Amino acid sequence: MRLVKLTMLRKFELAAPLALTIPSIFLFIGASAQDNSPYSRYGLGNQAPTTNVANRGMGGVAAAYNDPYTVNYANPASYSFFQSLQEPNSKKLNSGRIVFNIGADGQGRTLTDQSQTNKFTSPNLLFSHVMIGLPLRKDWGIAFGVRPITNINYKIQNNGRLFDPNSGKLIDSSSTLYEGQGGAYLGSLGTAVKFKTGKSQYLSLGASAGYMFGSRDYNTRLSLFNDSTRYASAHYETKTSIGDFYFDAGLQYHFKASEKIYMSLGAYGNWKQDIRTNANTVAQTFTYNTETGYLPVDTATFTKDERGSFIYPSSITGGFIIQKVGGGPDREAGWLVGADFTSNNWKQYRVNGVPDTAVRSNWQAKVGAEFHPAPKNNFFSRTSYRVGFFTGPDYIYTRQTNIPVLGITAGLGLPIANYSMMNRQASMINLSFEYIKRGNNSNILRENLYRLSVGFSLTDLWFGGKTKYYED
């Protein structure tokens, strides 16, 4: 009877943080952000990191990566590598390691104008991801969770003279405030199956389906100023909700290159997909004071539930990893190095059938490494050390000018001591730091982004087969 109680306790210990995590996700999503990135006004907004915290420390290398303690949601083919044990002479699962990953990003963004005379800094705290992975059978696993795809947050004020776009004549002095909030999220469920293709050779095929959801709220407020004439201020708003199914797939091929060296090849991506939208628009006059804020006066036009869509473009990533597994009877150090290349076909992007001149197809190259010291009886020898970088043009293309992006990354994997009675549990804190430079002197704005990501990886062995246990 005591064994049954202990098993139930172990399941509760992993389920409890999950139950507490779900409400926090919606608090992150609904929280008002302090971020201000004018570039998020274009396309679908700023793209969120596409990999988990462990991979971000290695420059985002993920195509060929898998780890039994991490959910690599970038490539669903990695889901077949979750740890599992079969019963002897049977295909039934004796035990399997369930993995629970959750992460958050703290970031600071600094904007600099072309003259380098004005700077603006904004901090932010964002939800990164929550994912759960587990094996169903040996060489077959699933994973599910939710993560952000894009973020929109900007506030821009333009003061100057307003001219008639048709005649070119001066209308009057004006002040225009542009504001936007929102973003897209993806809830997904994926699975992968692994096949043995030869001695120490494995091919894994994976796919995932999900639901993309979110909103985009764009506001423009125009006010005219004149000493003798009083003008009404105008407000234009378009609020669009996003909701549709999304699919992607991937593969990984692993083989033993020599006695101690392993090689992995991987690829993942998605095809062009039509995502449905529903929009409400309003044009109205307004007044403003510091106590009540913005108050509508008269509504000129209003449309509700205007159905539309946008084309989410195809993307493909391929890469490799060379790895030496450490530990073992010789207690050797381990390491891995890898690289990825991504191609995004943003020329396919359409909003209600209309191309967007502010986006362009782009690419990104990523290189990263991870080092595991030789195991010793100290904390630092059990820590994973990661470095990497990435580069490539941004998909946003304003004023017919490319926006170059360069990122330098570093990370740590810190094991957490298990103080419970259950020695089958294993936990880790993953930290990553990214410095991202976006734009140069050719762009109207430059962004410097510092992002510190924290990811918690909690794992436990769950029993699948009807195995008997005895007490002495």
Side-chain angles (χ1 to χ4, degrees), residues 153-171:
N153 241 292
Y154 65 87
K155 189 173 184 178
I156 313 165
Q157 185 164 329
N158 181 28
N159 299 324
R161 295 183 174 183
L162 183 66
F163 295 88
D164 189 311
N166 298 318
S167 65
K169 293 182 178 180
L170 174 66
I171 298 176

Side-chain angles (χ1 to χ4, degrees), residues 181-414:
Q181 300 88 29
Y185 297 85
L186 179 66
S188 64
L189 171 65
T191 186
V193 179
K194 182 173 59 178
F195 305 93
K196 188 172 184 178
T197 59
K199 186 177 180 180
S200 300
Q201 298 179 24
Y202 298 92
L203 173 66
S204 179
L205 302 176
S208 66
Y211 192 78
M212 187 182 296
F213 63 96
S215 66
R216 296 180 292 172
D217 190 0
Y218 296 137
N219 290 268
T220 302
R221 301 181 189 273
L222 172 64
S223 299
L224 299 177
F225 303 100
N226 188 285
D227 294 336
S228 58
T229 305
R230 183 178 180 181
Y231 296 100
S233 298
H235 172 219
Y236 307 91
E237 180 181 20
T238 300
K239 189 169 185 178
T240 306
S241 60
I242 301 168
D244 213 336
F245 291 99
Y246 171 90
F247 304 92
D248 59 13
L251 62 87
Q252 290 185 342
Y253 179 63
H254 300 264
F255 61 94
K256 193 173 183 179
S258 65
E259 182 180 353
K260 296 183 179 181
I261 303 299
Y262 292 83
M263 184 82 177
S264 303
L265 306 174
Y268 64 89
N270 63 276
W271 48 93
K272 180 177 70 173
Q273 297 173 60
D274 194 6
I275 306 297
R276 291 175 294 180
T277 61
N278 191 296
N280 297 333
T281 61
V282 63
Q284 59 190 189
T285 58
F286 72 93
T287 60
Y288 175 81
N289 64 60
T290 55
E291 294 182 0
T292 60
Y294 296 103
L295 292 176
V297 178
D298 294 312
T299 299
T301 62
F302 176 73
T303 61
K304 185 178 181 181
D305 296 333
E306 187 176 354
R307 298 186 181 277
S309 67
F310 68 89
I311 299 295
Y312 193 84
S314 61
S315 174
I316 187 167
T317 299
F320 71 89
I321 282 178
I322 302 173
Q323 180 177 12
K324 177 187 176 184
V325 179
D330 297 330
R331 302 178 68 83
E332 295 181 321
W335 52 262
L336 68 82
V337 294
D340 281 3
F341 184 84
T342 300
S343 177
N344 301 304
N345 198 7
W346 279 97
K347 69 180 181 181
Q348 298 173 335
Y349 181 64
R350 301 286 188 276
V351 179
N352 298 327
V354 179
D356 189 342
T357 58
V359 303
R360 173 172 285 196
S361 296
N362 71 325
W363 57 267
Q364 190 174 70
K366 311 170 189 177
V367 177
E370 182 179 66
F371 176 70
H372 301 272
K376 296 179 181 178
N377 293 325
N378 62 71
F379 177 79
F380 297 103
S381 69
R382 299 191 300 274
T383 299
S384 302
Y385 302 87
R386 306 171 180 125
V387 293
F389 76 90
F390 57 87
T391 187
D394 203 300
Y395 88 102
I396 295 172
Y397 184 74
T398 60
R399 299 194 175 188
Q400 303 300 298
T401 305
N402 281 324
I403 302 175
V405 177
L406 173 66
I408 301 173
T409 72
L412 295 171
L414 308 174

